[in-house]
Amino acid sequence: MATKSKTKKQTEQEQKINVLFAIFEAVPFMKTGGLGDVGGSMPFELKKAGLNVRVIMPKFDTIPEEYTSRMVHVTDFYVPLGWRNLYCGIEKLMYKGLTFYFVDNEYYFHRGAPYGYFDDGERIAFFAKAVVEAMTHLPRFKCDILHCNDWHTALAPVFLREFYHGDKIWDNVKTVLTVHNLKFQGKYSDYVLGDVLGLKGIKAAEDQLSCGRQTINYLKGGLCYTDAITMVSPTYAEEVTDPFFGEGVEDVLRRRRSIMRGILNGIDYTAYNPEKDKAIKEHFSADDLTGKAECKRLLQAELGLPENPEVPIIAMIGRLTAQKGCDLLTRVFGEIAGLGAQIVILGTGDKKYEDALKGFAYEFGDNFRLLLKFDEALSHRIYAGADMLLMPSVFEPCGLAQMIAMAYGTLPVVRETGGLKDTVRPYNKFTGEGNGFSFAHINAHEMLFTLKDAVALFKEDKEAWRKLQLTAMKEDYSWEKSSLEYRKIYEELLGRG
Ligand code: ADP
């Protein structure tokens, strides 16, 4: 009997689709933004959807010791990259039941930070090539689907087809490229084509990777070579075929529309759960919001703001860049400061916005706190203690912050774009329906008036506010539905199901 059931289990295992999930960031190993959240949650959900998933990412020197000390060396080999032949170690860590592989090369990944180096184009090409090479070195794992994420791994489908074509192991692999933000493409001088990528003279690759004069575009290459493209929200998948959102690759996306789909990212409700979150002192749920009031008081105390429950806190958490609507914010900051709310901004980004906000912090010090840093625990305290989260993004592929805020009963105030449009339903004063507030145009005053209405509702209609909070807290932006959609794409690519 034992043998028989083992055989059945083995057969089941063999029938499962094997997915190698390649990504540059994954919580708790690396996070600089939403990509890290996705890397740390989506693979687990794909596993729950019945897929045999393994994650592969760089072994950064900043990964906490508690994890590096538990990694085991699996294998090592050399990766050809242009004229180079580079060492690549593969370390393995079982984390919460999932296999994570770490690509080890001290020269490229012992830098103190994941990005921002003169040779990023080379480091990232190395990682993509190492991922493809690794497929033949991973014990007991025959990859069916290579799932790439963003420009850091977009070269993998290019390498796969141009260098590894003809070998059964690689020929049977189908590729999916998920674009988390089309803005970041990895553009380099065309010298990389020969020197780094080794693709010079391969006409198809030269054409498909080039963009404009003497420029090579990694993401464009991936978009042209991959078998399926996904954008991280349905609305963004529509928007990107328009030149305003298309970041110069809208023509490629229009041409490849038939293989492109928009699938909303989810959030990890075990990490963002106001009932259990270890980063906050008081806990709460949709059934009892008293803890939230205390979280607000504690946040006001921590930031040295007047401890007044009647004054709403408008928070912003995220990168201080043009994408996130910082031009709108700085354009009418004085008016926002005059709305009778407290403003809390946590983020880092472009110097011009940081400097402008520092000026406002000086001018409006009574009710504005500016926290120019990346601080995960503080972000949780702000999500829990604030009343509103402002996200006036010019474009937003998916956006996680608005979903996280909703989980904590903090109402999002957003511009209707990308994933923000797909997740936030604006308050309807006639029916009381909605889960936040939104405005349509990239217009500072439209944002200001929406904020003004939100502040007024907070102050004047506690019941309506509470209703919105409860609706927001009950929204389900988990990965469940999305991971099934990914599974369907894998099955279609492999001709199964
Ligand atoms: P992005 O475009 O940066 O990926 P998202 O809204 O998708 O934006 O995700 C941003 C993620 O990074 C959220 O989890 C947010 O809480 C977190 N985050 C952004 N900036 C900071 C910061 N300064 N400190 C802590 N967490 C931050």
Side-chain angles (χ1 to χ4, degrees), residues 229-266:
I229 299 168
T230 68
M231 296 286 155
V232 288
S233 69
T235 297
Y236 192 57
E238 289 290 319
E239 288 173 340
V240 288
T241 52
D242 182 293
F244 181 79
F245 296 97
E247 303 288 346
V249 290
E250 59 277 4
D251 290 347
V252 178
L253 295 170
R254 240 177 276 147
R255 184 162 54 76
R256 306 220 75 198
R257 199 180 230 157
S258 62
I259 63 152
M260 181 164 82
R261 247 174 266 176
I263 303 178
L264 199 68
N265 282 340

Tab-separated table of all heavy atoms in Angstrom, residues 229-266:
chain	number	residue	atom	x	y	z
A	229	ILE	N	3.124	37.664	-22.265
A	229	ILE	CA	3.418	38.888	-21.501
A	229	ILE	C	2.270	39.117	-20.534
A	229	ILE	O	1.099	38.976	-20.919
A	229	ILE	CB	3.503	40.112	-22.452
A	229	ILE	CG1	4.617	39.928	-23.486
A	229	ILE	CG2	3.706	41.408	-21.669
A	229	ILE	CD1	4.585	40.948	-24.624
A	230	THR	N	2.589	39.465	-19.310
A	230	THR	CA	1.511	39.908	-18.431
A	230	THR	C	1.866	41.267	-17.849
A	230	THR	O	3.023	41.542	-17.548
A	230	THR	CB	1.212	38.915	-17.276
A	230	THR	OG1	2.317	38.896	-16.375
A	230	THR	CG2	0.932	37.511	-17.773
A	231	MET	N	0.837	42.095	-17.738
A	231	MET	CA	0.948	43.382	-17.040
A	231	MET	C	0.256	43.179	-15.694
A	231	MET	O	-0.597	42.295	-15.569
A	231	MET	CB	0.233	44.486	-17.825
A	231	MET	CG	0.842	44.773	-19.176
A	231	MET	SD	2.400	45.676	-19.016
A	231	MET	CE	3.210	45.205	-20.540
A	232	VAL	N	0.597	44.024	-14.728
A	232	VAL	CA	0.139	43.708	-13.372
A	232	VAL	C	-1.244	44.259	-13.001
A	232	VAL	O	-1.631	44.212	-11.828
A	232	VAL	CB	1.206	44.098	-12.326
A	232	VAL	CG1	2.380	43.143	-12.394
A	232	VAL	CG2	1.664	45.533	-12.512
A	233	SER	N	-1.966	44.758	-13.976
A	233	SER	CA	-3.393	45.038	-13.751
A	233	SER	C	-4.080	45.116	-15.112
A	233	SER	O	-3.437	45.466	-16.110
A	233	SER	CB	-3.606	46.350	-12.975
A	233	SER	OG	-3.249	47.453	-13.769
A	234	PRO	N	-5.363	44.805	-15.178
A	234	PRO	CA	-6.073	44.857	-16.461
A	234	PRO	C	-6.057	46.256	-17.082
A	234	PRO	O	-5.844	46.399	-18.283
A	234	PRO	CB	-7.500	44.424	-16.094
A	234	PRO	CG	-7.334	43.599	-14.864
A	234	PRO	CD	-6.187	44.205	-14.108
A	235	THR	N	-6.262	47.285	-16.260
A	235	THR	CA	-6.284	48.637	-16.830
A	235	THR	C	-4.918	49.018	-17.392
A	235	THR	O	-4.819	49.592	-18.478
A	235	THR	CB	-6.752	49.677	-15.774
A	235	THR	OG1	-8.095	49.355	-15.418
A	235	THR	CG2	-6.697	51.092	-16.301
A	236	TYR	N	-3.845	48.673	-16.679
A	236	TYR	CA	-2.500	48.991	-17.177
A	236	TYR	C	-2.243	48.277	-18.504
A	236	TYR	O	-1.642	48.839	-19.424
A	236	TYR	CB	-1.451	48.594	-16.128
A	236	TYR	CG	-0.061	49.142	-16.402
A	236	TYR	CD1	0.169	50.508	-16.544
A	236	TYR	CD2	1.041	48.291	-16.493
A	236	TYR	CE1	1.448	51.010	-16.784
A	236	TYR	CE2	2.322	48.778	-16.727
A	236	TYR	CZ	2.527	50.150	-16.869
A	236	TYR	OH	3.785	50.635	-17.101
A	237	ALA	N	-2.738	47.036	-18.632
A	237	ALA	CA	-2.547	46.283	-19.877
A	237	ALA	C	-3.226	46.987	-21.049
A	237	ALA	O	-2.762	46.913	-22.185
A	237	ALA	CB	-3.083	44.864	-19.721
A	238	GLU	N	-4.315	47.697	-20.763
A	238	GLU	CA	-4.968	48.497	-21.807
A	238	GLU	C	-4.156	49.759	-22.076
A	238	GLU	O	-3.904	50.130	-23.217
A	238	GLU	CB	-6.377	48.932	-21.335
A	238	GLU	CG	-7.389	47.819	-21.267
A	238	GLU	CD	-7.767	47.336	-22.648
A	238	GLU	OE1	-7.927	48.182	-23.528
A	238	GLU	OE2	-7.860	46.097	-22.846
A	239	GLU	N	-3.765	50.408	-20.980
A	239	GLU	CA	-3.106	51.717	-21.108
A	239	GLU	C	-1.794	51.651	-21.903
A	239	GLU	O	-1.475	52.559	-22.660
A	239	GLU	CB	-2.818	52.297	-19.715
A	239	GLU	CG	-4.062	52.764	-18.978
A	239	GLU	CD	-3.783	53.170	-17.529
A	239	GLU	OE1	-2.741	52.751	-16.974
A	239	GLU	OE2	-4.600	53.890	-16.945
A	240	VAL	N	-1.016	50.586	-21.690
A	240	VAL	CA	0.347	50.565	-22.244
A	240	VAL	C	0.433	50.533	-23.771
A	240	VAL	O	1.510	50.739	-24.326
A	240	VAL	CB	1.176	49.381	-21.691
A	240	VAL	CG1	1.539	49.610	-20.252
A	240	VAL	CG2	0.476	48.058	-21.919
A	241	THR	N	-0.690	50.292	-24.425
A	241	THR	CA	-0.627	50.328	-25.890
A	241	THR	C	-0.780	51.765	-26.396
A	241	THR	O	-0.691	52.026	-27.580
A	241	THR	CB	-1.719	49.437	-26.522
A	241	THR	OG1	-2.968	49.807	-25.958
A	241	THR	CG2	-1.448	47.960	-26.249
A	242	ASP	N	-0.997	52.684	-25.461
A	242	ASP	CA	-1.112	54.102	-25.793
A	242	ASP	C	0.267	54.754	-25.567
A	242	ASP	O	0.926	54.456	-24.574
A	242	ASP	CB	-2.150	54.705	-24.827
A	242	ASP	CG	-2.406	56.167	-25.089
A	242	ASP	OD1	-1.496	56.998	-24.872
A	242	ASP	OD2	-3.532	56.471	-25.499
A	243	PRO	N	0.700	55.618	-26.480
A	243	PRO	CA	2.027	56.214	-26.332
A	243	PRO	C	2.260	56.919	-24.986
A	243	PRO	O	3.374	56.941	-24.482
A	243	PRO	CB	2.093	57.226	-27.474
A	243	PRO	CG	1.105	56.748	-28.471
A	243	PRO	CD	0.030	56.041	-27.710
A	244	PHE	N	1.206	57.461	-24.374
A	244	PHE	CA	1.399	58.164	-23.105
A	244	PHE	C	1.922	57.223	-22.013
A	244	PHE	O	2.738	57.593	-21.185
A	244	PHE	CB	0.083	58.812	-22.642
A	244	PHE	CG	0.231	59.572	-21.348
A	244	PHE	CD1	0.784	60.843	-21.336
A	244	PHE	CD2	-0.139	58.996	-20.136
A	244	PHE	CE1	0.959	61.534	-20.151
A	244	PHE	CE2	0.029	59.683	-18.939
A	244	PHE	CZ	0.577	60.958	-18.949
A	245	PHE	N	1.435	55.983	-22.037
A	245	PHE	CA	1.845	55.021	-21.008
A	245	PHE	C	2.881	54.019	-21.530
A	245	PHE	O	3.492	53.294	-20.763
A	245	PHE	CB	0.629	54.214	-20.518
A	245	PHE	CG	-0.420	55.046	-19.836
A	245	PHE	CD1	-1.526	55.506	-20.527
A	245	PHE	CD2	-0.303	55.362	-18.491
A	245	PHE	CE1	-2.502	56.276	-19.900
A	245	PHE	CE2	-1.266	56.131	-17.854
A	245	PHE	CZ	-2.365	56.583	-18.561
A	246	GLY	N	3.015	53.971	-22.842
A	246	GLY	CA	3.786	52.887	-23.468
A	246	GLY	C	5.289	52.998	-23.356
A	246	GLY	O	6.005	52.062	-23.721
A	247	GLU	N	5.777	54.129	-22.875
A	247	GLU	CA	7.218	54.317	-22.625
A	247	GLU	C	8.080	53.939	-23.830
A	247	GLU	O	9.169	53.395	-23.695
A	247	GLU	CB	7.679	53.492	-21.395
A	247	GLU	CG	6.941	53.790	-20.118
A	247	GLU	CD	7.296	55.148	-19.525
A	247	GLU	OE1	8.303	55.752	-19.953
A	247	GLU	OE2	6.542	55.618	-18.642
A	248	GLY	N	7.552	54.194	-25.027
A	248	GLY	CA	8.349	53.963	-26.231
A	248	GLY	C	8.275	52.543	-26.770
A	248	GLY	O	8.783	52.273	-27.855
A	249	VAL	N	7.649	51.630	-26.038
A	249	VAL	CA	7.534	50.261	-26.573
A	249	VAL	C	6.074	49.906	-26.895
A	249	VAL	O	5.724	48.737	-27.059
A	249	VAL	CB	8.158	49.193	-25.629
A	249	VAL	CG1	9.664	49.321	-25.596
A	249	VAL	CG2	7.563	49.264	-24.236
A	250	GLU	N	5.237	50.959	-27.010
A	250	GLU	CA	3.819	50.707	-27.266
A	250	GLU	C	3.600	49.964	-28.590
A	250	GLU	O	2.672	49.154	-28.703
A	250	GLU	CB	2.985	52.003	-27.216
A	250	GLU	CG	3.378	53.096	-28.187
A	250	GLU	CD	4.531	53.963	-27.702
A	250	GLU	OE1	5.088	53.678	-26.626
A	250	GLU	OE2	4.886	54.915	-28.414
A	251	ASP	N	4.477	50.215	-29.569
A	251	ASP	CA	4.309	49.522	-30.853
A	251	ASP	C	4.511	48.018	-30.691
A	251	ASP	O	3.776	47.207	-31.250
A	251	ASP	CB	5.299	50.060	-31.889
A	251	ASP	CG	4.929	51.473	-32.300
A	251	ASP	OD1	3.809	51.893	-31.974
A	251	ASP	OD2	5.770	52.146	-32.927
A	252	VAL	N	5.539	47.657	-29.917
A	252	VAL	CA	5.802	46.232	-29.662
A	252	VAL	C	4.592	45.634	-28.937
A	252	VAL	O	4.122	44.537	-29.273
A	252	VAL	CB	7.062	46.057	-28.776
A	252	VAL	CG1	7.305	44.590	-28.460
A	252	VAL	CG2	8.274	46.683	-29.414
A	253	LEU	N	4.088	46.360	-27.972
A	253	LEU	CA	2.971	45.833	-27.183
A	253	LEU	C	1.698	45.718	-28.010
A	253	LEU	O	0.915	44.778	-27.837
A	253	LEU	CB	2.746	46.700	-25.942
A	253	LEU	CG	3.911	46.658	-24.955
A	253	LEU	CD1	3.756	47.700	-23.867
A	253	LEU	CD2	4.038	45.266	-24.332
A	254	ARG	N	1.513	46.667	-28.911
A	254	ARG	CA	0.331	46.586	-29.773
A	254	ARG	C	0.444	45.367	-30.678
A	254	ARG	O	-0.496	44.631	-30.881
A	254	ARG	CB	0.207	47.865	-30.602
A	254	ARG	CG	-1.101	48.579	-30.323
A	254	ARG	CD	-1.210	49.866	-31.072
A	254	ARG	NE	-0.549	50.942	-30.352
A	254	ARG	CZ	0.074	51.964	-30.930
A	254	ARG	NH1	0.155	52.049	-32.238
A	254	ARG	NH2	0.614	52.903	-30.190
A	255	ARG	N	1.673	45.162	-31.184
A	255	ARG	CA	1.909	44.022	-32.071
A	255	ARG	C	1.724	42.697	-31.327
A	255	ARG	O	1.238	41.721	-31.873
A	255	ARG	CB	3.337	44.134	-32.617
A	255	ARG	CG	3.722	43.078	-33.621
A	255	ARG	CD	4.941	43.502	-34.432
A	255	ARG	NE	6.112	43.893	-33.648
A	255	ARG	CZ	6.932	43.051	-33.034
A	255	ARG	NH1	6.704	41.776	-33.077
A	255	ARG	NH2	7.974	43.492	-32.368
A	256	ARG	N	2.077	42.677	-30.056
A	256	ARG	CA	2.023	41.433	-29.291
A	256	ARG	C	0.794	41.350	-28.369
A	256	ARG	O	0.768	40.578	-27.415
A	256	ARG	CB	3.316	41.274	-28.471
A	256	ARG	CG	4.584	41.380	-29.325
A	256	ARG	CD	5.625	40.382	-28.919
A	256	ARG	NE	5.334	39.042	-29.345
A	256	ARG	CZ	5.895	37.949	-28.831
A	256	ARG	NH1	6.776	38.054	-27.867
A	256	ARG	NH2	5.581	36.754	-29.273
A	257	ARG	N	-0.184	42.199	-28.672
A	257	ARG	CA	-1.379	42.281	-27.818
A	257	ARG	C	-2.027	40.921	-27.563
A	257	ARG	O	-2.521	40.650	-26.470
A	257	ARG	CB	-2.380	43.211	-28.493
A	257	ARG	CG	-3.422	43.750	-27.574
A	257	ARG	CD	-4.342	44.652	-28.335
A	257	ARG	NE	-4.503	45.929	-27.655
A	257	ARG	CZ	-4.864	47.042	-28.264
A	257	ARG	NH1	-5.072	47.051	-29.555
A	257	ARG	NH2	-5.023	48.152	-27.591
A	258	SER	N	-1.989	40.063	-28.572
A	258	SER	CA	-2.703	38.778	-28.446
A	258	SER	C	-2.063	37.869	-27.395
A	258	SER	O	-2.705	36.943	-26.906
A	258	SER	CB	-2.745	38.048	-29.792
A	258	SER	OG	-1.424	37.753	-30.197
A	259	ILE	N	-0.800	38.116	-27.044
A	259	ILE	CA	-0.189	37.260	-26.005
A	259	ILE	C	-0.069	38.007	-24.675
A	259	ILE	O	0.608	37.575	-23.758
A	259	ILE	CB	1.212	36.734	-26.432
A	259	ILE	CG1	2.201	37.891	-26.633
A	259	ILE	CG2	1.127	35.857	-27.665
A	259	ILE	CD1	3.633	37.500	-26.378
A	260	MET	N	-0.734	39.171	-24.620
A	260	MET	CA	-0.605	39.991	-23.397
A	260	MET	C	-1.894	39.961	-22.585
A	260	MET	O	-2.982	40.048	-23.142
A	260	MET	CB	-0.282	41.424	-23.814
A	260	MET	CG	-0.101	42.354	-22.650
A	260	MET	SD	0.720	43.868	-23.165
A	260	MET	CE	-0.644	44.789	-23.819
A	261	ARG	N	-1.732	39.859	-21.260
A	261	ARG	CA	-2.887	39.882	-20.382
A	261	ARG	C	-2.606	40.748	-19.153
A	261	ARG	O	-1.445	40.914	-18.785
A	261	ARG	CB	-3.220	38.471	-19.908
A	261	ARG	CG	-4.545	38.012	-20.473
A	261	ARG	CD	-4.837	36.600	-20.165
A	261	ARG	NE	-4.422	35.714	-21.238
A	261	ARG	CZ	-4.512	34.398	-21.176
A	261	ARG	NH1	-4.963	33.815	-20.088
A	261	ARG	NH2	-4.146	33.642	-22.187
A	262	GLY	N	-3.636	41.262	-18.554
A	262	GLY	CA	-3.461	42.050	-17.334
A	262	GLY	C	-3.974	41.254	-16.147
A	262	GLY	O	-5.147	40.872	-16.121
A	263	ILE	N	-3.100	40.976	-15.201
A	263	ILE	CA	-3.495	40.210	-14.006
A	263	ILE	C	-3.076	41.015	-12.779
A	263	ILE	O	-1.900	41.340	-12.606
A	263	ILE	CB	-2.814	38.822	-13.980
A	263	ILE	CG1	-3.153	38.033	-15.254
A	263	ILE	CG2	-3.210	38.047	-12.729
A	263	ILE	CD1	-2.482	36.675	-15.343
A	264	LEU	N	-4.055	41.294	-11.951
A	264	LEU	CA	-3.785	42.134	-10.780
A	264	LEU	C	-2.874	41.421	-9.775
A	264	LEU	O	-3.095	40.245	-9.474
A	264	LEU	CB	-5.125	42.462	-10.117
A	264	LEU	CG	-5.158	43.645	-9.165
A	264	LEU	CD1	-4.944	44.953	-9.910
A	264	LEU	CD2	-6.478	43.678	-8.417
A	265	ASN	N	-1.868	42.128	-9.287
A	265	ASN	CA	-1.072	41.577	-8.181
A	265	ASN	C	-1.923	41.496	-6.927
A	265	ASN	O	-2.897	42.242	-6.781
A	265	ASN	CB	0.118	42.487	-7.869
A	265	ASN	CG	1.254	42.308	-8.861
A	265	ASN	OD1	1.342	41.301	-9.544
A	265	ASN	ND2	2.132	43.287	-8.925
A	266	GLY	N	-1.525	40.666	-6.024
A	266	GLY	CA	-2.222	40.594	-4.747
A	266	GLY	C	-1.307	41.082	-3.640
A	266	GLY	O	-0.156	41.442	-3.886
